[in-house]
Amino acid sequence: MTLTIRNASKTYPDGTRALLPTDLTVGEGEILSLLGPSGCGKTTLLRIIAGLETPDAGTQVRFDDEDVTRLAVERRNVGMVFQSYALFPNMSVRANIGYGLKVRKVPRAEREQRVDEVLALCRLGDYAERAVTALSGGQRQRVALARAMAPRPRILLLDEPLSALDAALRDSLRDELAAMLRQFRITAVFVTHDQAEALAIADRIAVMSQGVMQQVGRPEELYREPVSSFVARFIGNAMPLPGTIADGHLILPGGRLPLAAGTSDAEVFVRAEDVHLDEAGPLSGTVETVAFSGGHYRIGLAGVTGETLFATHPGRQAPRPGDSVRLRIDAGDLLVLPQDRS
Amino acid sequence: MRLTLPRLLQLAVTLLTAAFLIVPAIQSILAGLTVNYFRGLSSGFTLRWVGEVWRLYADSILLSMGLAVACLGVTLVIGVPAAYALAKNPGRLSRILEEFISLPLAVPGLALALALLQLYGSMTGFRTSWTFILVGHVLYTLPFMVRSVLAVLMAMDLKSLEESAATLGASTVTRFRTIVVPNAMPGILAGALTVVTLSIGEFNLTWMLHTPYLKTLPVGLADSYASMRLEIASAYTLVFFVMIVPLLMAMQWATDRAQRISR
């Protein structure tokens, strides 16, 4: 199913604008992530798609050719995984998963068969008769996913599906969730504030901030070609290089960097992995901190920009704090963005 | 465990307290079963007084049971949806309403009865019907049902549970029936226990509202103490015990059972 959203916005009765007019299209079988810090409007948009939130007039939500904007949530046929999972504590795992089929009056035999299928897909067969209160966090998440999928929804919506888990579990379940979503081959929208989650799971990511959709694209696009400083900072932690631009160069406290021709009135960013230690480099700085993290060193440098600039150094040896070093940043690795007006 | 002086004192106080509570009960039960209380147990045991109580007060016993059941029915039909509405709209208005429902708890039963009499006393058909007493009992017991159910509903994540049921295709009525009520069951049963017990035992409001033809169990008890021999009154107490204790135990069992998961 293709999801099309036109002009979606939400204003609360107290005047707070949670979501400013937004357009979005999610293709058949595509997994799209709504990514942004808390309060950016991503959950509001998800709830508008589900029908749990009444959007402002002018909003249009379409499932394929059908306009569902005014269709009640219980008739939209969406599957939703809630942040808290919201499993029904009065029912067993099997009854939870079968609930959507039961309220739709699917005959018992067919219902049992569908539940068994989903139980197997989500590797929950051994837990079918258990009480949901007796499950671990990861198992609960799978039950929530199985329950949402059992009635064969038109679209799957996930609201921070991993945030209720502890950090160690989250990493392993992230890949598991990605694999399961691919297996279902369903159009899916999932909300997260964690860029690693979005990068690992989504086909495309929509970055949101303060009720505005900043950029929509494949993970690589967002990483390599961010359109705003917000996206650059949020995805891959790009660091600003605040300096003045004069005759084709960026002038920093630690030296001059050549820029592409015709650049003026711009903000320049760089990522730690693109800052190289190089004795012949044009920039100079002083090592402040050195942290070893397995495959590389993370080196904090003072004196290059006003703040600490980090460099990822892959060598076998690292300079010591206090050492003076020279640095190189290739012109192609600089992210040159228009000035942020906000 | 050695019996030190503090331990002995503790034990003595516990036993004394237990005796203080249980001896009058035993004495009262025995009084209802002896042939002649003033001659003591040596006069022998009899069930004559119990039979006498049944002959004189069977109507009161049946009326009280009927009232309790009716009162439970009405508080369930009004109280559970009311608690649900209060839990769903946690605004200031809801808090005010909740206090308003609880008002009969703070007002003495006599005052409540007087108000009912002043307002409806002239409607003879209603005044002399058992439903008049029922209204009083419902007013008095409703807050217990509402509060008990509300406490359970507030303790769970009602909003998420209902929203997830809605995305799965459940209408408002289906959600109430399959999600809200089953999950509120411990509260509903605890409330039911309180309502039935209070309705059967309620005296001061009922005493004001009753007519000579409509005596409930406690009103009958007062009547028997005032106008019958002591053996009959004591036998009455025994009947009261026999009725209410199994009821309490059955309700307690039901509450425990509801807390376990139901499929």
PDB file of all heavy atoms in Angstrom, chain B residues 116-133 209-214:
ATOM      1  N   LEU B 116     -34.206  12.743  51.890  1.00  0.00           N
ATOM      2  CA  LEU B 116     -35.013  11.900  51.010  1.00  0.00           C
ATOM      3  C   LEU B 116     -36.490  11.977  51.400  1.00  0.00           C
ATOM      4  O   LEU B 116     -37.373  12.061  50.544  1.00  0.00           O
ATOM      5  CB  LEU B 116     -34.537  10.448  51.062  1.00  0.00           C
ATOM      6  CG  LEU B 116     -33.256  10.124  50.296  1.00  0.00           C
ATOM      7  CD1 LEU B 116     -32.818   8.692  50.566  1.00  0.00           C
ATOM      8  CD2 LEU B 116     -33.464  10.331  48.807  1.00  0.00           C
ATOM      9  N   LEU B 117     -36.725  11.955  52.721  1.00  0.00           N
ATOM     10  CA  LEU B 117     -38.112  12.004  53.207  1.00  0.00           C
ATOM     11  C   LEU B 117     -38.769  13.332  52.857  1.00  0.00           C
ATOM     12  O   LEU B 117     -39.925  13.375  52.437  1.00  0.00           O
ATOM     13  CB  LEU B 117     -38.155  11.790  54.726  1.00  0.00           C
ATOM     14  CG  LEU B 117     -37.965  10.338  55.179  1.00  0.00           C
ATOM     15  CD1 LEU B 117     -37.761  10.267  56.682  1.00  0.00           C
ATOM     16  CD2 LEU B 117     -39.154   9.483  54.756  1.00  0.00           C
ATOM     17  N   GLN B 118     -38.031  14.412  53.028  1.00  0.00           N
ATOM     18  CA  GLN B 118     -38.587  15.741  52.731  1.00  0.00           C
ATOM     19  C   GLN B 118     -38.954  15.852  51.258  1.00  0.00           C
ATOM     20  O   GLN B 118     -39.980  16.390  50.887  1.00  0.00           O
ATOM     21  CB  GLN B 118     -37.561  16.819  53.076  1.00  0.00           C
ATOM     22  CG  GLN B 118     -37.607  17.211  54.530  1.00  0.00           C
ATOM     23  CD  GLN B 118     -36.532  18.218  54.870  1.00  0.00           C
ATOM     24  OE1 GLN B 118     -35.605  18.417  54.098  1.00  0.00           O
ATOM     25  NE2 GLN B 118     -36.653  18.842  56.019  1.00  0.00           N
ATOM     26  N   LEU B 119     -38.067  15.304  50.415  1.00  0.00           N
ATOM     27  CA  LEU B 119     -38.261  15.469  48.985  1.00  0.00           C
ATOM     28  C   LEU B 119     -39.326  14.527  48.430  1.00  0.00           C
ATOM     29  O   LEU B 119     -40.194  14.934  47.655  1.00  0.00           O
ATOM     30  CB  LEU B 119     -36.916  15.213  48.285  1.00  0.00           C
ATOM     31  CG  LEU B 119     -36.727  15.890  46.940  1.00  0.00           C
ATOM     32  CD1 LEU B 119     -36.918  17.390  47.068  1.00  0.00           C
ATOM     33  CD2 LEU B 119     -35.331  15.581  46.406  1.00  0.00           C
ATOM     34  N   TYR B 120     -39.265  13.239  48.853  1.00  0.00           N
ATOM     35  CA  TYR B 120     -40.143  12.235  48.231  1.00  0.00           C
ATOM     36  C   TYR B 120     -41.204  11.692  49.178  1.00  0.00           C
ATOM     37  O   TYR B 120     -42.008  10.843  48.784  1.00  0.00           O
ATOM     38  CB  TYR B 120     -39.307  11.069  47.701  1.00  0.00           C
ATOM     39  CG  TYR B 120     -38.235  11.485  46.736  1.00  0.00           C
ATOM     40  CD1 TYR B 120     -36.891  11.351  47.056  1.00  0.00           C
ATOM     41  CD2 TYR B 120     -38.581  12.024  45.496  1.00  0.00           C
ATOM     42  CE1 TYR B 120     -35.910  11.742  46.167  1.00  0.00           C
ATOM     43  CE2 TYR B 120     -37.598  12.422  44.608  1.00  0.00           C
ATOM     44  CZ  TYR B 120     -36.269  12.283  44.950  1.00  0.00           C
ATOM     45  OH  TYR B 120     -35.300  12.670  44.070  1.00  0.00           O
ATOM     46  N   GLY B 121     -41.191  12.163  50.452  1.00  0.00           N
ATOM     47  CA  GLY B 121     -42.094  11.605  51.473  1.00  0.00           C
ATOM     48  C   GLY B 121     -43.554  11.658  51.077  1.00  0.00           C
ATOM     49  O   GLY B 121     -44.349  10.788  51.448  1.00  0.00           O
ATOM     50  N   SER B 122     -43.923  12.693  50.293  1.00  0.00           N
ATOM     51  CA  SER B 122     -45.336  12.854  49.957  1.00  0.00           C
ATOM     52  C   SER B 122     -45.760  11.945  48.796  1.00  0.00           C
ATOM     53  O   SER B 122     -46.953  11.780  48.534  1.00  0.00           O
ATOM     54  CB  SER B 122     -45.607  14.311  49.597  1.00  0.00           C
ATOM     55  OG  SER B 122     -44.714  14.705  48.584  1.00  0.00           O
ATOM     56  N   MET B 123     -44.789  11.339  48.097  1.00  0.00           N
ATOM     57  CA  MET B 123     -45.147  10.427  47.006  1.00  0.00           C
ATOM     58  C   MET B 123     -45.414   9.060  47.621  1.00  0.00           C
ATOM     59  O   MET B 123     -44.534   8.212  47.740  1.00  0.00           O
ATOM     60  CB  MET B 123     -44.007  10.341  45.992  1.00  0.00           C
ATOM     61  CG  MET B 123     -43.662  11.692  45.381  1.00  0.00           C
ATOM     62  SD  MET B 123     -42.050  11.721  44.597  1.00  0.00           S
ATOM     63  CE  MET B 123     -42.362  10.719  43.169  1.00  0.00           C
ATOM     64  N   THR B 124     -46.699   8.832  48.020  1.00  0.00           N
ATOM     65  CA  THR B 124     -47.030   7.698  48.876  1.00  0.00           C
ATOM     66  C   THR B 124     -46.594   6.360  48.285  1.00  0.00           C
ATOM     67  O   THR B 124     -46.024   5.529  48.998  1.00  0.00           O
ATOM     68  CB  THR B 124     -48.555   7.665  49.152  1.00  0.00           C
ATOM     69  OG1 THR B 124     -48.993   9.018  49.289  1.00  0.00           O
ATOM     70  CG2 THR B 124     -48.847   6.880  50.404  1.00  0.00           C
ATOM     71  N   GLY B 125     -46.880   6.167  47.000  1.00  0.00           N
ATOM     72  CA  GLY B 125     -46.541   4.883  46.384  1.00  0.00           C
ATOM     73  C   GLY B 125     -45.061   4.569  46.510  1.00  0.00           C
ATOM     74  O   GLY B 125     -44.659   3.461  46.862  1.00  0.00           O
ATOM     75  N   PHE B 126     -44.250   5.570  46.258  1.00  0.00           N
ATOM     76  CA  PHE B 126     -42.795   5.432  46.306  1.00  0.00           C
ATOM     77  C   PHE B 126     -42.327   5.286  47.750  1.00  0.00           C
ATOM     78  O   PHE B 126     -41.530   4.423  48.091  1.00  0.00           O
ATOM     79  CB  PHE B 126     -42.173   6.650  45.627  1.00  0.00           C
ATOM     80  CG  PHE B 126     -40.665   6.648  45.567  1.00  0.00           C
ATOM     81  CD1 PHE B 126     -39.962   5.488  45.254  1.00  0.00           C
ATOM     82  CD2 PHE B 126     -39.952   7.814  45.799  1.00  0.00           C
ATOM     83  CE1 PHE B 126     -38.585   5.484  45.183  1.00  0.00           C
ATOM     84  CE2 PHE B 126     -38.572   7.829  45.740  1.00  0.00           C
ATOM     85  CZ  PHE B 126     -37.891   6.658  45.435  1.00  0.00           C
ATOM     86  N   ARG B 127     -42.905   6.126  48.618  1.00  0.00           N
ATOM     87  CA  ARG B 127     -42.513   6.162  50.030  1.00  0.00           C
ATOM     88  C   ARG B 127     -42.682   4.791  50.689  1.00  0.00           C
ATOM     89  O   ARG B 127     -41.860   4.370  51.501  1.00  0.00           O
ATOM     90  CB  ARG B 127     -43.363   7.214  50.761  1.00  0.00           C
ATOM     91  CG  ARG B 127     -43.255   7.224  52.278  1.00  0.00           C
ATOM     92  CD  ARG B 127     -41.911   7.766  52.714  1.00  0.00           C
ATOM     93  NE  ARG B 127     -41.708   7.645  54.160  1.00  0.00           N
ATOM     94  CZ  ARG B 127     -41.157   6.577  54.736  1.00  0.00           C
ATOM     95  NH1 ARG B 127     -40.792   5.533  54.021  1.00  0.00           N
ATOM     96  NH2 ARG B 127     -40.968   6.548  56.037  1.00  0.00           N
ATOM     97  N   THR B 128     -43.766   4.089  50.343  1.00  0.00           N
ATOM     98  CA  THR B 128     -44.052   2.824  51.016  1.00  0.00           C
ATOM     99  C   THR B 128     -43.473   1.619  50.268  1.00  0.00           C
ATOM    100  O   THR B 128     -43.651   0.493  50.687  1.00  0.00           O
ATOM    101  CB  THR B 128     -45.572   2.614  51.145  1.00  0.00           C
ATOM    102  OG1 THR B 128     -46.155   2.753  49.842  1.00  0.00           O
ATOM    103  CG2 THR B 128     -46.182   3.623  52.098  1.00  0.00           C
ATOM    104  N   SER B 129     -42.748   1.878  49.141  1.00  0.00           N
ATOM    105  CA  SER B 129     -42.201   0.750  48.387  1.00  0.00           C
ATOM    106  C   SER B 129     -40.750   0.485  48.815  1.00  0.00           C
ATOM    107  O   SER B 129     -40.071   1.377  49.329  1.00  0.00           O
ATOM    108  CB  SER B 129     -42.297   1.057  46.887  1.00  0.00           C
ATOM    109  OG  SER B 129     -41.070   0.853  46.257  1.00  0.00           O
ATOM    110  N   TRP B 130     -40.303  -0.741  48.596  1.00  0.00           N
ATOM    111  CA  TRP B 130     -38.920  -1.087  48.974  1.00  0.00           C
ATOM    112  C   TRP B 130     -37.896  -0.307  48.160  1.00  0.00           C
ATOM    113  O   TRP B 130     -36.761  -0.134  48.576  1.00  0.00           O
ATOM    114  CB  TRP B 130     -38.692  -2.588  48.826  1.00  0.00           C
ATOM    115  CG  TRP B 130     -38.795  -3.071  47.395  1.00  0.00           C
ATOM    116  CD1 TRP B 130     -39.947  -3.364  46.733  1.00  0.00           C
ATOM    117  CD2 TRP B 130     -37.729  -3.260  46.481  1.00  0.00           C
ATOM    118  NE1 TRP B 130     -39.671  -3.733  45.455  1.00  0.00           N
ATOM    119  CE2 TRP B 130     -38.309  -3.687  45.256  1.00  0.00           C
ATOM    120  CE3 TRP B 130     -36.342  -3.122  46.541  1.00  0.00           C
ATOM    121  CZ2 TRP B 130     -37.549  -3.961  44.124  1.00  0.00           C
ATOM    122  CZ3 TRP B 130     -35.590  -3.401  45.414  1.00  0.00           C
ATOM    123  CH2 TRP B 130     -36.187  -3.815  44.214  1.00  0.00           C
ATOM    124  N   THR B 131     -38.308   0.213  46.988  1.00  0.00           N
ATOM    125  CA  THR B 131     -37.367   0.967  46.153  1.00  0.00           C
ATOM    126  C   THR B 131     -36.932   2.273  46.839  1.00  0.00           C
ATOM    127  O   THR B 131     -35.878   2.815  46.525  1.00  0.00           O
ATOM    128  CB  THR B 131     -37.991   1.317  44.786  1.00  0.00           C
ATOM    129  OG1 THR B 131     -39.263   1.906  45.001  1.00  0.00           O
ATOM    130  CG2 THR B 131     -38.149   0.072  43.931  1.00  0.00           C
ATOM    131  N   PHE B 132     -37.760   2.732  47.783  1.00  0.00           N
ATOM    132  CA  PHE B 132     -37.395   3.950  48.520  1.00  0.00           C
ATOM    133  C   PHE B 132     -36.136   3.690  49.354  1.00  0.00           C
ATOM    134  O   PHE B 132     -35.203   4.503  49.373  1.00  0.00           O
ATOM    135  CB  PHE B 132     -38.563   4.368  49.413  1.00  0.00           C
ATOM    136  CG  PHE B 132     -38.421   5.753  49.986  1.00  0.00           C
ATOM    137  CD1 PHE B 132     -38.228   6.848  49.152  1.00  0.00           C
ATOM    138  CD2 PHE B 132     -38.483   5.968  51.350  1.00  0.00           C
ATOM    139  CE1 PHE B 132     -38.095   8.122  49.669  1.00  0.00           C
ATOM    140  CE2 PHE B 132     -38.351   7.239  51.874  1.00  0.00           C
ATOM    141  CZ  PHE B 132     -38.162   8.316  51.025  1.00  0.00           C
ATOM    142  N   ILE B 133     -36.123   2.536  50.020  1.00  0.00           N
ATOM    143  CA  ILE B 133     -34.934   2.158  50.799  1.00  0.00           C
ATOM    144  C   ILE B 133     -33.749   1.910  49.850  1.00  0.00           C
ATOM    145  O   ILE B 133     -32.619   2.291  50.143  1.00  0.00           O
ATOM    146  CB  ILE B 133     -35.219   0.907  51.656  1.00  0.00           C
ATOM    147  CG1 ILE B 133     -36.380   1.190  52.609  1.00  0.00           C
ATOM    148  CG2 ILE B 133     -33.984   0.493  52.449  1.00  0.00           C
ATOM    149  CD1 ILE B 133     -36.820   0.002  53.431  1.00  0.00           C
ATOM    150  N   LEU B 209     -35.864   5.309  56.982  1.00  0.00           N
ATOM    151  CA  LEU B 209     -36.654   5.164  55.754  1.00  0.00           C
ATOM    152  C   LEU B 209     -37.683   4.041  55.836  1.00  0.00           C
ATOM    153  O   LEU B 209     -38.618   4.005  55.041  1.00  0.00           O
ATOM    154  CB  LEU B 209     -35.729   4.895  54.551  1.00  0.00           C
ATOM    155  CG  LEU B 209     -34.713   5.980  54.190  1.00  0.00           C
ATOM    156  CD1 LEU B 209     -33.895   5.545  52.983  1.00  0.00           C
ATOM    157  CD2 LEU B 209     -35.415   7.311  53.882  1.00  0.00           C
ATOM    158  N   HIS B 210     -37.524   3.100  56.789  1.00  0.00           N
ATOM    159  CA  HIS B 210     -38.362   1.901  56.750  1.00  0.00           C
ATOM    160  C   HIS B 210     -39.793   2.192  57.210  1.00  0.00           C
ATOM    161  O   HIS B 210     -40.081   3.210  57.825  1.00  0.00           O
ATOM    162  CB  HIS B 210     -37.728   0.777  57.586  1.00  0.00           C
ATOM    163  CG  HIS B 210     -38.105   0.807  59.026  1.00  0.00           C
ATOM    164  ND1 HIS B 210     -37.539   1.671  59.923  1.00  0.00           N
ATOM    165  CD2 HIS B 210     -39.000   0.070  59.721  1.00  0.00           C
ATOM    166  CE1 HIS B 210     -38.064   1.462  61.116  1.00  0.00           C
ATOM    167  NE2 HIS B 210     -38.951   0.515  61.025  1.00  0.00           N
ATOM    168  N   THR B 211     -40.687   1.287  56.809  1.00  0.00           N
ATOM    169  CA  THR B 211     -42.074   1.334  57.281  1.00  0.00           C
ATOM    170  C   THR B 211     -42.296   0.042  58.073  1.00  0.00           C
ATOM    171  O   THR B 211     -41.486  -0.878  57.997  1.00  0.00           O
ATOM    172  CB  THR B 211     -43.048   1.363  56.098  1.00  0.00           C
ATOM    173  OG1 THR B 211     -42.948   0.116  55.406  1.00  0.00           O
ATOM    174  CG2 THR B 211     -42.759   2.505  55.137  1.00  0.00           C
ATOM    175  N   PRO B 212     -43.369  -0.074  58.856  1.00  0.00           N
ATOM    176  CA  PRO B 212     -43.596  -1.287  59.657  1.00  0.00           C
ATOM    177  C   PRO B 212     -43.622  -2.556  58.806  1.00  0.00           C
ATOM    178  O   PRO B 212     -43.337  -3.644  59.295  1.00  0.00           O
ATOM    179  CB  PRO B 212     -44.950  -1.031  60.292  1.00  0.00           C
ATOM    180  CG  PRO B 212     -45.070   0.448  60.339  1.00  0.00           C
ATOM    181  CD  PRO B 212     -44.372   0.958  59.132  1.00  0.00           C
ATOM    182  N   TYR B 213     -43.953  -2.387  57.529  1.00  0.00           N
ATOM    183  CA  TYR B 213     -44.032  -3.581  56.670  1.00  0.00           C
ATOM    184  C   TYR B 213     -42.725  -3.866  55.955  1.00  0.00           C
ATOM    185  O   TYR B 213     -42.576  -4.851  55.282  1.00  0.00           O
ATOM    186  CB  TYR B 213     -45.158  -3.413  55.639  1.00  0.00           C
ATOM    187  CG  TYR B 213     -46.482  -3.156  56.304  1.00  0.00           C
ATOM    188  CD1 TYR B 213     -47.031  -1.891  56.347  1.00  0.00           C
ATOM    189  CD2 TYR B 213     -47.149  -4.217  56.927  1.00  0.00           C
ATOM    190  CE1 TYR B 213     -48.234  -1.663  56.999  1.00  0.00           C
ATOM    191  CE2 TYR B 213     -48.361  -3.994  57.579  1.00  0.00           C
ATOM    192  CZ  TYR B 213     -48.896  -2.723  57.607  1.00  0.00           C
ATOM    193  OH  TYR B 213     -50.065  -2.510  58.257  1.00  0.00           O
ATOM    194  N   LEU B 214     -41.768  -2.935  56.058  1.00  0.00           N
ATOM    195  CA  LEU B 214     -40.485  -3.096  55.361  1.00  0.00           C
ATOM    196  C   LEU B 214     -39.339  -2.957  56.355  1.00  0.00           C
ATOM    197  O   LEU B 214     -38.787  -1.885  56.542  1.00  0.00           O
ATOM    198  CB  LEU B 214     -40.334  -2.031  54.266  1.00  0.00           C
ATOM    199  CG  LEU B 214     -41.196  -2.181  53.024  1.00  0.00           C
ATOM    200  CD1 LEU B 214     -41.094  -0.929  52.171  1.00  0.00           C
ATOM    201  CD2 LEU B 214     -40.812  -3.397  52.207  1.00  0.00           C
TER     202      LEU B 214
END
